Amino acid sequence: MSKDEAETGAREGASRRGFLRAGLAAGGAALLGGKAVAQTAAGDPANLPPNVADWSRYLGEGVAVRAYGRPSEHESHVIRRDVEWLTASRESSVSFTPLHELDGPITPNGLCFERHHGGIAELNPQDYRLVLHGLVDRELVFTLDDIKRMPRVNRAHFAECAANSGMEWRGAQLNGCQFTHGMIHCVMYTGVPLRVLLAEAGVKPTAKWLLLEGADASGMTRSLPMEKALDDCLVAYRMNGEMLRPENGYPVRMVVPGWEANMWVKWLRRIEVGDEPWYHREETSKYTDLLENGTARKFTFVMDAKSVITSPSPQAPINHGRGFTVISGLAWSGRGAISGVDVSLDGGRNWRPARLDGPVWGKALTRFYYELDWDGSPLLLQSRARDETGYVQPTKNELRAVRGLNSIYHNNGIQTWHVTAAGEVENVEVS
Amino acid sequence: MSKSREAPASARPLILAALAAGAIVAAGALLPTSGRATEATGAIRTAATTDGAHPDLPTGLGLGRAAAPEEIAGWDIDVRPDGIGLPEGRGSVLEGEEIYVMQCAVCHGDFGESAGRWPMLAGGSGTLDSHDPVKTVGSYWPYASTLIDYIYRAMPYGNAQSLSANELYAVSAYVLYLNDVILDEDFELSHENYADIRLENEANFFPDDREAAEAHFWREPCMESCLPGTAEITMRARALDVTPEPGQGPTVD
């Protein structure tokens, strides 16, 4: 049964059940479809103690009705979103991970942000080929089965678009961490170390750079230094255990830990080994960082230490009023592991260490919490990440002092949320 | 799939990748450490699945088969600034204008000025240090090779790799003409002279210097009374109110 057939079957099952249940619950509260969703906000007193809810009386759906499970319909708002005015076409565009609705360090596969330059390439794995050529002893072609037979490793790493927070260089613009920080995901990748593949071909001593190329219509290419290729790069085919999603490069993508996600070439079809970088469009016209004096940085590969409070945030206001409150957020660094996160309630005047919880992997999202008894007074919330190299996340103004306003990429400045007495939250900047 | 290789995989000695790779270690270990790790770091961090260091893995697996030259030639269409990879062909500015008007102008405008929000290809000279830089092939791109490479692999948008080699040179010549890099409309570009083209902004790119220019971000973090006075809100997203309704703003193309 295909996924579509499974979904159709699940829907038909649901509607048949709905008919039965509506008939059985004479004049009762059918909890189906839009009705159930509409009741979510207010709830239904008939389901509350001492009453016994329908789900405690009647059988639910059986096994494998949901052959590929999906989230509860009450979570249907937890989705990728895009901002139409950002780009000229949806095929070369970006969607954003709903960070404000997630917890822990791992991103669910179906919610990982997308960034395509020529739409989603739909490859048949039988027709997948990876060509490895150039300054090697043996120029090779690999099938997907070849790659799956190689020794593999599991690594959780964040993939952050170089343009994440890029719309915020000139000031507070987008109202929600999904939009200001959501060009990022972190999953557990399974793949082959790139150096294992290179060893199959035998790299010549003159080799200094690799060209990575995707199979999509944008022909995505980036130049990768050999030192990084031999260090920790993966040729990955699984995310969180299952095969990559088409929008994330099925069946094979590059994982370049800690480096800007533009280099994580999806639908990887070709690796050329050479002695010089290629200076292609994605490392000249794009992914170069213009400074105030008109010169530009090139090859700004590493994503620096960064953090954001995901809740409360503009899309996740404080609804419970004053009292015990959990501040939750994410921190990450392309230079290694997060060594700590500090939280400020007063716009950066005073800081307290947050509590890191869950695995603290290098070059991966790290979850932090800061608990407080909120007295209902307005807050100017900030978080500040530190990494194991001693780098401390700068303010936006400290970044602007070095780079100006037109770098587009690599904005890792400290984010401020203004929490009002009513618990509403806004993206602001402070003096 | 190893039938074209000389020896079956089972007969080969397995070589440890770590030996071949020499002194490659986790990237983190190459960087200076502060010696200021907080209490959270050492306690929680799990060594086995962190950072980049890979275990000793077998190599010399005998997987994959030899790539035929024609297979590589079909996919290896990249071009470098030194001219390596240029396809054989030739085309003039005038020939390029005809192709550009038919295939490119609907998005990029008749003169590279862009239609709507599609990328501008020409103009913007002298604007890079201004408040509103206009980054085009002529004003920003360092190498002409990028132009022909990118058109070849990815343009026209939605019909990539559809132009012949002669059309590539002609269209490239026209775009360079729109940018005043080529001044004579009879000028013909070819694989013989393309690598001689120089763009004005080539010298203005430099490698990532963050570890020097931003060395002050490696520091002891301030914890108490870090800034004077109380914080004042200086900018608000709600004032702009473009989330996520259509509007005008910066592009991420």
Side-chain angles (χ1 to χ4, degrees):
Chain A
M1 190 158 66
S2 75
K3 194 182 164 212
D4 281 349
E5 286 165 349
E7 286 177 355
T8 305
R11 278 198 299 274
E12 284 171 359
S15 61
R16 276 196 298 274
R17 292 200 55 76
F19 179 76
L20 283 173
R21 190 179 298 176
L24 287 169
L31 287 168
L32 289 160
K35 214 170 192 177
V37 172
Q39 286 172 355
T40 299
D44 184 350
N47 294 326
L48 303 180
N51 301 323
V52 178
D54 279 358
W55 55 73
S56 303
R57 299 176 189 269
Y58 309 121
L59 301 179
E61 285 179 347
V63 298
V65 169
R66 307 178 191 196
Y68 193 104
R70 285 178 291 172
S72 162
E73 62 185 347
H74 303 287
E75 300 298 320
S76 59
H77 56 291
V78 184
I79 51 173
R80 299 165 176 146
R81 298 188 69 188
D82 67 334
V83 177
E84 274 184 46
W85 54 256
L86 279 179
T87 53
S89 105
R90 299 182 85 85
E91 293 75 30
S92 181
S93 191
V94 62
S95 66
F96 300 87
T97 303
L99 298 178
H100 60 294
E101 289 283 355
L102 303 178
D103 215 318
I106 296 291
T107 315
N109 288 342
L111 295 177
C112 291
F113 85 101
E114 306 158 279
R115 175 64 169 116
H116 319 309
H117 293 75
I120 300 169
E122 299 275 3
L123 272 72
N124 181 335
Q126 299 301 322
D127 298 337
Y128 174 79
R129 294 293 184 276
L130 173 60
V131 174
L132 173 53
H133 71 106
L135 295 177
V136 292
D137 299 327
R138 297 171 295 278
E139 297 186 314
L140 296 172
V141 180
F142 300 103
T143 65
L144 181 59
D145 284 341
D146 292 332
I147 293 169
K148 285 181 165 180
R149 285 175 62 191
M150 294 178 181
R152 71 195 77 130
V153 298
N154 298 291
R155 296 286 183 273
H157 290 299
F158 73 81
E160 184 185 18
C161 180
N164 200 21
S165 314
M167 295 84 75
E168 303 288 310
W169 270 111
R170 293 196 175 192
Q173 177 160 235
L174 295 169
N175 216 17
C177 68
Q178 177 166 21
F179 304 106
T180 56
H181 290 76
M183 291 192 223
I184 193 168
H185 68 245
C186 181
V187 303
M188 181 64 75
Y189 287 100
T190 305
V192 182
L194 179 52
R195 73 175 187 218
V196 170
L197 270 167
L198 292 172
E200 286 301 290
V203 175
K204 292 186 184 298
T206 50
K208 294 287 185 292
W209 289 82
L210 280 66
L211 186 74
L212 310 172
E213 182 181 85
D216 62 314
S218 79
M220 173 60 64
T221 45
R222 282 300 301 258
S223 301
L224 179 77
M226 181 62 76
E227 186 183 31
K228 180 69 172 176
L230 294 176
D231 179 14
D232 58 1
C233 293
L234 300 181
V235 175
Y237 50 90
R238 292 184 183 277
M239 54 197 290
N240 291 333
E242 64 180 358
M243 288 297 288
L244 299 178
R245 296 291 175 89
E247 58 269 40
N248 296 108
Y250 179 86
V252 174
R253 80 173 305 168
M254 280 305 306
V255 169
V256 188
W259 287 21
E260 58 188 15
N262 179 259
M263 308 182 75
W264 296 43
V265 172
K266 299 187 285 190
W267 313 291
L268 181 71
R269 76 164 191 170
R270 188 167 70 94
I271 300 172
E272 181 172 357
V273 181
D275 59 351
E276 297 280 344
W278 277 258
Y279 289 106
H280 279 183
R281 189 248 198 188
E282 305 292 325
E283 53 207 19
T284 54
S285 171
K286 309 301 174 188
Y287 306 98
T288 51
D289 310 349
L290 184 61
L291 304 183
E292 202 162 22
N293 65 3
T295 66
R297 290 172 175 162
K298 62 181 179 181
F299 302 141
T300 46
F301 300 131
V302 175
M303 301 306 292
D304 274 316
K306 186 170 176 179
S307 66
V308 65
I309 291 170
T310 55
S311 177
S313 63
Q315 297 156 289
I318 299 176
N319 292 320
H320 56 61
R322 63 186 62 189
F324 190 77
T325 303
V326 175
I327 292 171
S328 173
L330 291 167
W332 60 97
S333 172
R335 300 186 189 272
I338 289 294
S339 59
V341 177
D342 305 313
V343 168
S344 173
L345 309 179
D346 59 6
R349 269 59 189 169
N350 298 285
W351 297 87
R352 294 286 183 79
R355 182 168 60 82
L356 307 186
D357 189 83
V360 181
W361 292 306
K363 306 170 189 173
L365 291 189
T366 299
R367 179 59 61 176
F368 68 86
Y369 299 108
Y370 182 84
E371 292 94 353
L372 78 159
D373 187 1
W374 184 45
D375 64 4
S377 55
L379 306 173
L380 289 168
L381 281 181
Q382 297 182 338
S383 64
R384 183 181 66 188
R386 299 175 260 124
D387 73 23
E388 62 181 334
T389 72
Y391 183 96
V392 178
Q393 183 183 359
T395 66
K396 290 178 184 176
N397 282 334
E398 285 175 324
L399 285 175
R400 290 168 182 144
V402 180
R403 306 183 195 173
L405 297 173
N406 292 317
S407 283
I408 297 180
Y409 308 107
H410 292 281
N411 183 352
N412 66 318
I414 288 172
Q415 174 66 48
T416 309
W417 302 131
H418 176 222
V419 181
T420 68
E424 292 175 340
V425 185
E426 187 182 5
N427 174 13
V428 299
E429 292 205 20
V430 292
S431 58
Chain B
M1 298 300 285
S2 63
K3 62 193 172 203
S4 65
R5 307 283 298 276
E6 303 105 56
S10 58
R12 293 169 176 222
L14 295 177
I15 304 157
L16 290 180
L19 298 177
I24 301 295
V25 293
L30 297 172
L31 293 161
T33 53
S34 66
R36 198 180 21 74
T38 66
E39 65 279 5
T41 311
I44 302 172
R45 202 169 151 195
T46 51
T49 54
T50 189
D51 288 357
H54 291 139
D56 295 344
L57 295 170
T59 59
L61 314 169
L63 293 170
R65 63 165 172 81
E70 58 271 24
E71 289 180 303
I72 294 170
W75 282 10
D76 177 13
I77 60 170
D78 57 65
V79 180
R80 297 198 326 194
D82 56 11
I84 288 180
L86 283 168
E88 283 193 24
R90 56 188 67 249
S92 71
V93 171
L94 277 174
E95 290 162 348
E97 180 179 21
E98 196 173 331
I99 299 159
Y100 180 94
V101 167
M102 296 294 292
Q103 303 250 28
C104 317
V106 64
C107 293
H108 294 295
D110 283 345
F111 304 101
E113 77 280 17
S114 138
R117 292 184 60 75
W118 297 98
M120 285 180 68
L121 301 183
S125 186
T127 66
L128 295 181
D129 59 357
S130 73
H131 185 263
D132 293 301
V134 177
K135 300 193 289 185
T136 70
V137 174
S139 70
Y140 189 64
W141 291 28
Y143 302 111
S145 61
T146 312
L147 179 66
I148 196 166
D149 173 87
Y150 186 69
I151 296 172
Y152 196 175
R153 72 178 53 255
M155 288 290 127
Y157 192 59
N159 191 23
Q161 300 195 35
S162 62
L163 297 180
S164 70
N166 288 347
E167 290 171 326
L168 283 172
Y169 283 103
V171 169
S172 300
Y174 185 66
V175 173
L176 292 169
Y177 177 78
L178 291 176
N179 280 289
D180 299 325
V181 176
I182 294 174
L183 302 174
D184 175 2
E185 62 184 25
D186 293 318
F187 190 85
E188 185 182 76
L189 277 178
S190 74
H191 56 281
E192 289 152 341
N193 62 11
Y194 196 91
D196 297 334
I197 300 285
R198 287 286 177 274
L199 303 182
E200 67 180 27
N201 201 43
E202 177 179 339
N204 291 326
F205 291 86
F206 61 96
D208 185 1
D209 68 341
R210 279 176 288 176
E211 290 187 23
E214 298 174 9
H216 53 296
F217 297 153
W218 280 264
R219 54 187 164 182
E220 199 63 41
C222 173
M223 298 301 287
E224 302 288 340
S225 305
C226 301
L227 292 165
T230 52
E232 300 293 333
I233 294 174
T234 56
M235 293 185 183
R236 322 178 70 106
R238 280 195 190 129
L240 196 59
D241 196 24
V242 286
T243 314
E245 281 75 36
Q248 288 297 308
T251 62
V252 293
D253 61 1

